[in-house]
Amino acid sequence: MVRSPLTPQQRAVGKRLGAYLRQARGDRKPAEVARAASISPETLRKIETGRLATPAFTTVAALAAVLEIPLDELARLCLPTLDLQDTG
């Protein structure tokens, strides 16, 4: 099955999510966080850099648990940004 290309909006959300997770990781080593979340360090690196813009829910949930981030906080990052000029 061929996956549809990501939209620019989906790529932007992936970059926001990755940057947020990277900031939340702080000084912790990527390998330590990845191991605790049961993912590979390469997967974590791809998420943090936005190269993996749509990680699986279970991956995001595991990272949220390890980094002690409420899932609803991460969900807000994934909402489309509203262009207030288009609403009037």
Side-chain angles (χ1 to χ4, degrees), residues 16-83:
R16 280 197 312 268
L17 176 64
Y20 190 89
L21 291 172
R22 170 60 189 98
Q23 182 179 6
R25 180 167 57 82
D27 292 335
R28 292 177 70 180
K29 294 181 187 219
E32 172 191 331
V33 171
R35 184 174 37 257
S38 298
I39 63 172
S40 72
E42 177 63 18
T43 297
L44 179 58
R45 182 175 35 247
K46 286 179 180 178
I47 293 168
E48 287 184 350
T49 60
R51 287 181 28 226
L52 180 54
T54 57
F57 174 77
T58 53
T59 299
V60 174
L63 286 169
V66 168
L67 297 172
E68 298 180 357
I69 303 169
L71 277 175
D72 62 336
E73 197 169 315
L74 293 180
R76 278 192 291 277
L77 289 172
C78 297
L79 293 174
T81 57
L82 297 176
D83 185 354

